[in-house]
Amino acid sequence: MEPILKVKNLKKYFPVKKKKLFERRKYLKAVDGVDLEVYPGETIGLVGESGCGKTTLGRTILKLYQPTEGSIIFDGKDIAKIRGKVLKDFRRQAQIIFQDPYASLNPRMKVKQIIEEPLIVHGYSRDEREKIVDEIMESVGLNPEHKFRYPHEFSGGQRQRISIGRTIALRPKLIVCDEPVSALDVSIQAQIINLLEELQDTYKLTYIFISHDLSVVRHISDRVAVMYLGRIVEIADKKEIYEKPHHPYTVALLSAIPIPDPEKERNRKRIILKGDLPSPINPPSGCRFHTRCYKAKERCAKEEPKLVEVSSGHSVACFYPENT
Amino acid sequence: MEPKELEVIEEIEKLEEKALISPNRQILNRFKKNKTAVFGLIIVVILIFVALFAPFIAPYKYDEVNYSESLKPPSSKHLLGTDILGRDIFSRIIYGSRVSLEVGIIAVAISVIIGVTLGLISGYFGGWVDALIMRLVDITYSFPFLLFAIAIMTILGPGMINVFIAIGIINWAWFARVTRGSVLSAKEQEYVLAAVAMGASPGRIMFKHIMPNVIAPVIVGAALNSGYAILAEAALSFLGIGVQPPYPSWGLMLSDARNYISTAPWMTIYPGLAIALTVLGFILLGNGLRDAIDPRLKI
Amino acid sequence: MAILKVENLKTHFFTEEGLVKAVDGVSFELERGKVLGIVGESGSGKSVMSLSIMKLIPYPGRIVEGKIYFDGKDITQANESEMQSIRGNRISMVFQDPMTSLNPVFKIGFQLVEAVRVHKKVSKKEALDMAVKILKEVGIPDAEEAINRYPHEFSGGMRQRVMIAMALINDPDILIADEPTTALDVTVQAQILDLMNRLKEEFNSSIILITHDLGVVAEMSDEVIVMYAGRIFERGSVEDIFYKSRNPYTYSLMRSLPRLDVDQKRLQPIKGNPPSLIRLPQGCPFHPRCELAKDICKKKVPELLKVGTNHYSYCHFAAELEFNGGKVGTHS
Ligand SMILES: Nc1ncnc2c1ncn2[C@@H]1O[C@H](COP(=O)(O)OP(=O)(O)OP(=O)(O)O)[C@@H](O)[C@H]1O
Ligand SMILES: Nc1ncnc2c1ncn2[C@@H]1O[C@H](COP(=O)(O)OP(=O)(O)OP(=O)(O)O)[C@@H](O)[C@H]1O
Ligand SMILES: [Mg+2]
Ligand SMILES: [Mg+2]
């Protein structure tokens, strides 16, 4: 099958404010050479620690940020440099759901206006819009009678439903879900995850699902990509990556998640990483993870490992992978 | 979702259905509770009323000269006394309110139009456009206000319309700065990013999604600025380069009173009081609005 | 004897919209050297309860009923100066957001020294030595140099360690940690939890650990309290709660979680939203969301029933029910 999205060597650098007048301009390398293929109908989970570049990657793929380098092939066309009408057409097919159900809805617009907005932008008639808004509200589990209410009259979970409604109004093919449940209570998380799964079945959606919660990602994804400091360090089918993680970072990440089962929890071996995520302005030499890695050898500080496929569909960027 | 589940959610919603009040309602409630703000509003409303119905309220015409009544102290015939030409101070103050109100509205409207437009452009497009406009703002700010006004008035020549223009041109910078700030913070909001993601045009994003954030600080600023504009007009007229006689501006009345401060203090006191009260009214109203809309607004 | 004993604690907020019964009749005991986990959805009263123990309830709230015995003495009756000698000394607290609870304009060394000298008559030099020692203990590298840094010069995880150091510097009897790891990454969370575990052994302090993460609770706690709508819905040993729960809410909460160790086809969410505390449903506050609700649940408020040694459940059917939430999905 042809991928719906093919990202090659994608980079996004943000200029850093100069502290001194004659300093050389520095760049924060938020995304620094990402290759990724996404197939129609699948959910690809994107995990990694805070600040590793997940959001930036998601937004750059959607051209909310102009890429610094690299190509983004969507449906066979490179969209990295498109503008105007072609860009608008792309926007109809690729959408985003944000993390914060409070900041992502305009507090001054009624629910109907919010869901209708993309339809207006893309020139739907009044009657069509009327019909679609009702349909959408039902399908995201909101009562269409509430369409004249403002976002503040809804709970966090319901607001995320509104936000999802706006996203699917144009029937996009690809949706970047940027931590759509992280701000929600555990009991509400499950409602939204189920909703996303139902919508995927109904509308044949493709998801890039960003989260730092590996349990949520395990549940919803078909494949999982692990990011570290602007790079993808491991990518594999869900089952593979959770059962046979290769990259020491993935192993540490998986071991760090507490499991709600006291017996299992007590008998688990935990790998405690030293230190924090290094700065993306001056990433470490060689393998970016070597400063925190429990397996690091001399070579890791000098040479940079490439992301290579070690078994079918399972790629890892490490000289000394685990479980192989 | 299954209908049954929807029903349950319905039921829960009914249970927690609070008497939800809309944001506008909340603002109104907060405003009403603020006594000084209501006081400010009352003064402004009185000013508007007086200005509109001046001919009916004032016992005399503003330019009705009567030499035999010259420099009379307040009496039942002339409530607030008369000036050197025997004109009724009370009536002149009543008519003078029209000038103040017009300055408050027209001069500020000019500032708002220029300032908000430039502020929107500056904040939205950024880059060199932003830099250029902001330098212009800095330059405008760096001139002493009155000096700048006098300079403009000398170029334009005295007269009511020119007073509006001069004050309007000077005050735009304030609105430009506030608008730009609101635009910059709104631009970072995720709902604006969502509008970009759906393919909305820059114009639509600006007017539909960003503009509403600008309105609150601009309204508050307009109320406050009206107070200052009235003060500025009084100053210009006092200096003789503002409103020209015989039309009664409060500043002009003060100017006429200069030589009679000790002999006919009512000529100074009452117009002065009118200015002070009106300015106070607008400023209290502005502060009250700010506190009701958003106490954190940095104005 | 228990170091802390809370009896029928009620903390209410008298707000303009109405009376918020944030904590409404909570009782529990905490033994020395034990970890008590408190879980519950947002707004269930976890933070208010811990603030009540510190007597730091924000306006317009106050304790309207109940007793809090700390080391045998009822501190609901204590005055402010007595409380000040307890706070930060014998009971200390770590808040969720490490940035807002450290003063940005002082070096952390100074803040730690102050924390000591408020309670103990020691010289600056001695206090500084204590500060360096505790920073080393919580795993801050180059502690001697780190005391001269400002809070913003630390990362989030490091700041949280400084907060924990500050809370532990006076060797408290009780450490209350309100969502100490929620703002942190999992790898950093693992570091912090590991640290808290070690410190508990070392100082024999008791810990009240507030979180909404059932995994963290399973890892850390000896005893667990499950809160809902300001009440204790279930209380028991960690095994009781995870494997032999007698409360439908506890079970629904566990069942709704996506899990790292189990395959689930569809998640099973709890329907609806938590209720507004101002207008609680009649009867059991959970009944509109409860799958097992019967008529009685809509009418009668349940009681906290004893269902085992040190195991209590707030449900009309507590005696008949038993759930194994810790093993959800593993056997089917
Ligand atoms: N608009 C921006 N300008 C400058 N730097 C940015 C910008 N957006 C993100 N960054 C920086 O880029 C890096 C990656 O940020 P990003 O938000 O993509 O991380 P993330 O993986 O989504 O983290 P989180 O889990 O906290 O959301 C961070 O160091 C961040 O500070
Ligand atoms: N200062 C206050 N004024 C009024 N009500 C308050 C105040 N503080 C807390 N409450 C109310 O008390 C209830 C319990 O709040 P609390 O902060 O204890 O919840 P929580 O369980 O800690 O939730 P979270 O997981 O979100 O931290 C909430 O309904 C809240 O609205
Ligand atoms: Mg992010
Ligand atoms: Mg809390």
Side-chain angles (χ1 to χ4, degrees):
Chain A
M1 199 171 19
E2 275 297 298
I4 184 171
L5 178 78
K6 202 165 159 181
V7 172
K8 274 198 90 90
N9 191 29
L10 191 64
K11 293 185 182 172
K12 177 66 197 174
Y13 292 179
F14 294 108
V16 182
K17 271 223 174 73
K18 285 192 228 179
K19 287 219 181 81
K20 296 183 211 113
L21 190 57
F22 294 108
E23 209 175 27
R24 253 191 69 204
R25 180 161 288 304
K26 284 198 199 129
Y27 290 94
L28 188 152
K29 297 163 183 163
V31 172
D32 198 14
V34 163
D35 295 325
L36 184 67
E37 289 181 358
V38 182
Y39 294 90
E42 77 167 339
T43 299
I44 183 149
L46 195 59
V47 297
E49 282 176 282
S50 179
C52 71
K54 306 182 294 293
T55 297
T56 308
L57 176 59
R59 290 182 180 181
T60 312
I61 286 173
L62 293 185
K63 288 263 293 177
L64 292 174
Y65 297 154
Q66 184 59 36
T68 307
E69 206 185 307
S71 61
I72 307 165
I73 318 274
F74 180 81
D75 242 0
K77 282 192 292 284
D78 189 351
I79 56 139
K81 296 201 174 63
I82 56 165
R83 298 164 136 259
K85 205 188 151 305
V86 198
L87 179 59
K88 189 164 168 181
D89 200 51
F90 165 68
R91 296 231 180 275
R92 171 205 272 281
Q93 300 182 53
Q95 280 289 321
I96 181 163
I97 302 172
F98 295 95
Q99 167 176 0
D100 186 346
Y102 290 83
S104 58
L105 300 177
N106 190 335
R108 294 185 183 80
M109 286 165 87
K110 296 185 176 120
V111 174
K112 172 171 180 278
Q113 293 174 298
I114 289 172
I115 298 179
E116 195 177 40
E117 184 69 7
L119 300 168
I120 297 177
V121 167
H122 288 274
Y124 286 72
S125 74
R126 181 179 293 270
D127 292 341
E128 281 173 305
R129 295 197 311 250
E130 208 69 35
K131 209 172 117 252
I132 296 175
V133 168
D134 283 6
E135 259 174 39
I136 294 274
M137 285 190 73
E138 297 238 16
S139 65
V140 297
L142 291 167
N143 186 343
E145 279 171 28
H146 294 167
K147 65 182 166 189
F148 297 112
R149 289 194 182 176
Y150 286 95
H152 76 266
E153 298 176 55
F154 293 88
S155 68
Q158 289 171 320
R159 284 164 151 261
Q160 203 54 301
R161 290 175 193 272
I162 300 171
S163 173
I164 292 171
R166 170 181 61 193
T167 301
I168 60 166
L170 291 171
R171 296 280 167 81
K173 291 182 187 159
L174 173 73
I175 300 181
V176 173
C177 309
D178 191 357
E179 314 230 15
V181 297
S182 305
L184 305 176
D185 245 317
V186 279
S187 69
I188 312 295
Q189 273 193 7
Q191 295 175 3
I192 299 298
I193 292 170
N194 281 355
L195 172 64
L196 287 171
E197 288 184 322
E198 278 162 32
L199 292 172
Q200 182 167 43
D201 292 346
T202 323
Y203 298 119
K204 306 275 169 286
L205 301 169
T206 308
Y207 289 144
I208 296 178
F209 193 96
I210 298 172
S211 178
H212 58 260
D213 186 333
L214 280 95
S215 314
V216 170
V217 165
R218 179 178 188 274
H219 176 80
I220 201 165
S221 310
D222 301 305
R223 287 194 301 143
V224 177
V226 181
M227 265 185 101
Y228 189 82
L229 215 59
R231 294 260 168 105
I232 289 179
V233 294
E234 183 165 9
I235 180 164
D237 280 351
K238 164 169 75 178
K239 241 190 152 50
E240 271 276 312
I241 211 161
Y242 283 86
E243 279 165 18
K244 280 202 301 182
H246 288 345
H247 201 285
Y249 177 62
T250 316
V251 175
L253 211 52
L254 285 171
S255 85
I257 298 154
I259 291 174
D261 183 341
E263 261 170 34
K264 269 193 198 167
E265 195 52 47
R266 274 173 213 148
N267 301 324
R268 235 151 54 104
K269 236 187 39 233
R270 178 150 291 165
I271 296 164
I272 309 265
L273 292 178
K274 317 165 267 196
D276 300 322
L277 198 67
S279 154
I281 299 176
N282 283 316
S285 64
C287 171
R288 288 165 185 231
F289 184 55
H290 86 262
T291 51
R292 298 170 76 197
C293 185
Y294 56 93
K295 287 188 93 179
K297 301 208 172 57
E298 233 173 88
R299 182 181 177 196
C300 305
K302 290 186 193 132
E303 242 180 282
E304 171 140 32
K306 291 220 153 48
L307 188 67
V308 284
E309 187 157 339
V310 288
S311 57
S312 151
H314 194 157
S315 306
V316 63
C318 180
F319 296 125
Y320 309 104
E322 301 264 20
N323 299 317
T324 42
Chain B
M1 184 168 296
E2 286 175 23
K4 217 173 84 198
E5 201 166 328
L6 263 181
E7 235 166 70
V8 178
I9 293 173
E10 274 295 270
E11 192 186 314
I12 296 165
E13 271 168 8
K14 266 188 216 129
L15 279 168
E16 35 175 67
E17 193 97 47
K18 300 185 263 185
L20 274 169
I21 28 182
S22 74
N24 289 340
R25 190 91 218 178
Q26 285 173 10
I27 291 174
L28 192 66
N29 286 347
R30 276 200 294 266
F31 187 86
K32 275 200 241 159
K33 267 193 217 142
N34 185 342
K35 288 205 184 70
T36 52
V38 173
F39 178 65
L41 180 68
I42 290 172
I43 294 178
V44 172
V45 168
I46 290 176
L47 178 76
I48 294 171
F49 179 83
V50 168
L52 283 179
F53 298 103
F56 304 101
I57 301 169
Y60 303 88
K61 290 247 345 163
Y62 61 85
D63 52 357
E64 202 173 314
V65 177
N66 187 348
Y67 293 105
S68 59
E69 294 283 327
S70 174
L71 292 180
K72 282 275 173 349
S75 65
S76 59
K77 199 167 165 206
H78 295 285
L79 221 46
L80 303 180
T82 60
D83 65 7
I84 181 75
L85 300 177
R87 294 177 297 195
D88 183 45
I89 302 272
F90 178 66
S91 304
R92 284 179 65 78
I93 288 178
I94 298 286
Y95 276 98
S97 68
R98 293 186 153 183
V99 177
S100 292
L101 191 68
E102 280 170 22
V103 169
I105 294 171
I106 299 174
V108 170
I110 293 172
S111 322
V112 167
I113 292 169
I114 303 175
V116 169
T117 313
L118 290 181
L120 278 176
I121 293 171
S122 184
Y124 190 78
F125 292 103
W128 66 268
V129 184
D130 180 32
L132 184 77
I133 294 176
M134 280 304 113
R135 288 305 77 75
L136 225 64
V137 166
D138 291 342
I139 291 168
T140 316
Y141 264 116
S142 63
F143 279 110
F145 178 83
L146 215 54
L147 220 60
F148 199 7
I150 293 169
I152 297 179
M153 289 306 293
T154 352
I155 298 168
L156 297 177
M160 190 122 94
I161 305 291
N162 292 349
V163 172
F164 299 156
I165 295 173
I167 295 174
I169 286 179
I170 294 166
N171 272 350
W172 73 273
W174 187 90
F175 288 97
R177 193 173 267 188
V178 166
T179 304
R180 174 176 177 271
S182 309
V183 171
L184 285 183
S185 67
K187 227 166 72 171
E188 297 300 314
Q189 294 287 328
E190 281 186 349
Y191 62 78
V192 173
L193 211 54
V196 178
M198 66 182 70
S201 64
R204 188 170 181 88
I205 291 168
M206 182 113 102
F207 288 106
K208 185 105 196 196
H209 299 272
I210 293 181
M211 218 16 197
N213 294 287
V214 175
I215 289 173
V218 165
I219 289 177
V220 173
L224 290 171
N225 258 287
S226 297
Y228 299 126
I230 289 168
L231 209 55
E233 179 275 325
L236 289 177
S237 299
F238 181 83
L239 293 174
I241 48 173
V243 177
Q244 293 302 301
Y247 204 82
S249 143
W250 295 339
L252 197 60
M253 291 171 74
L254 281 183
S255 171
D256 292 343
R258 261 177 308 183
N259 296 329
Y260 312 98
I261 289 184
S262 49
T263 47
W266 54 89
M267 277 180 73
T268 314
I269 294 172
Y270 297 112
L273 216 59
I275 294 172
L277 255 159
T278 308
V279 173
L280 183 73
F282 275 107
I283 289 175
L284 290 181
L285 176 66
N287 283 334
L289 281 174
R290 179 197 51 216
D291 291 346
I293 292 171
D294 183 357
R296 285 160 308 174
L297 276 182
K298 286 191 197 71
I299 291 176
Chain C
M1 192 191 61
I3 181 77
L4 184 75
K5 190 169 171 195
V6 175
E7 268 179 22
N8 194 29
L9 179 69
K10 293 188 179 177
T11 306
H12 295 177
F13 287 90
F14 299 83
T15 70
E16 272 175 39
E17 290 89 52
L19 181 63
V20 180
K21 299 181 178 175
V23 174
D24 202 24
V26 162
S27 309
F28 66 90
E29 282 174 28
L30 174 64
E31 302 289 337
R32 263 180 210 280
K34 295 280 184 215
V35 178
L36 171 69
I38 301 183
V39 285
E41 285 172 83
S42 189
S44 56
K46 307 183 293 294
S47 296
V48 173
M49 190 175 80
S50 52
L51 290 172
S52 303
I53 295 170
M54 300 285 279
K55 296 235 305 191
L56 286 174
I57 306 154
Y59 179 85
R62 60 186 159 85
I63 297 177
V64 293
E65 209 182 308
K67 300 219 168 9
I68 302 170
Y69 295 101
F70 170 65
D71 212 3
K73 185 167 176 289
D74 180 12
I75 55 173
T76 57
Q77 303 304 322
N79 61 30
E80 184 55 25
S81 79
E82 285 172 290
M83 279 317 293
Q84 276 169 10
S85 69
I86 293 178
R87 278 186 218 129
N89 185 26
R90 304 201 56 197
I91 308 179
S92 49
M93 191 152 176
V94 178
F95 295 92
Q96 174 170 348
D97 183 355
M99 203 54 206
T100 55
S101 24
L102 284 171
N103 191 331
V105 302
F106 295 118
K107 292 175 182 168
I108 62 147
F110 176 78
Q111 300 193 43
L112 284 165
V113 166
E114 281 301 291
V116 179
R117 279 163 54 94
V118 168
H119 297 293
K120 291 200 176 74
K121 285 202 172 56
V122 295
S123 72
K124 274 214 176 100
K125 177 83 188 52
E126 284 170 292
L128 209 56
D129 288 343
M130 286 170 76
V132 172
K133 183 165 165 278
I134 195 86
L135 285 177
K136 279 190 180 148
E137 219 137 359
V138 298
I140 304 267
D142 305 322
E144 285 89 355
E145 181 266 332
I147 51 172
N148 290 320
R149 281 194 255 162
Y150 290 93
H152 72 264
E153 297 176 66
F154 290 90
S155 70
M158 286 292 164
R159 262 183 246 136
Q160 195 59 297
R161 280 167 212 230
V162 173
M163 284 300 303
I164 292 177
M166 187 163 320
L168 290 175
I169 196 162
N170 288 319
D171 219 343
D173 297 295
I174 302 176
L175 172 69
I176 303 178
D178 190 354
E179 317 242 7
T181 57
T182 306
L184 305 175
D185 279 318
V186 278
T187 57
V188 183
Q189 166 171 293
Q191 293 167 357
I192 300 284
L193 295 183
D194 186 50
L195 167 72
M196 297 215 327
N197 260 331
R198 276 192 290 119
L199 295 172
K200 178 190 72 177
E201 318 268 281
E202 217 165 296
F203 296 96
N204 197 32
S205 309
S206 313
I207 299 179
I208 298 180
L209 177 66
I210 298 171
T211 172
H212 59 257
D213 188 331
L214 286 160
V216 171
V217 168
E219 174 178 350
M220 300 287 295
S221 320
D222 302 298
E223 279 211 51
V224 180
I225 286 176
V226 180
M227 282 189 80
Y228 187 77
R231 294 155 215 216
I232 291 183
F233 259 54
E234 194 170 11
R235 191 181 109 203
S237 70
V238 70
E239 286 82 11
D240 284 341
I241 300 293
F242 279 88
Y243 305 130
K244 287 181 284 189
S245 166
R246 303 286 200 127
N247 195 293
Y249 175 62
T250 309
Y251 181 64
S252 311
L253 206 55
M254 291 189 187
R255 204 178 48 172
S256 68
L257 287 180
R259 297 191 39 161
L260 200 60
D261 55 335
V262 188
D263 285 322
Q264 297 136 294
K265 209 159 162 42
R266 275 275 194 266
L267 298 175
Q268 302 190 35
I270 309 181
K271 56 203 173 185
N273 299 297
S276 139
L277 291 187
I278 295 178
R279 258 161 265 264
L280 277 185
Q282 283 219 316
C284 171
F286 183 59
H287 90 256
R289 306 175 74 192
C290 182
E291 286 179 356
L292 305 173
K294 305 255 161 41
D295 266 347
I296 181 172
C297 307
K298 293 180 191 160
K299 292 179 191 126
K300 198 165 154 248
V301 180
E303 277 167 58
L304 194 63
L305 296 173
K306 190 172 165 98
V307 289
T309 27
N310 266 327
H311 188 182
Y312 298 83
S313 167
Y314 185 85
C315 175
H316 290 299
F317 302 100
E320 300 146 41
L321 302 169
E322 187 170 304
F323 306 101
N324 187 342
K327 303 284 183 207
V328 163
T330 26
H331 301 306
S332 63

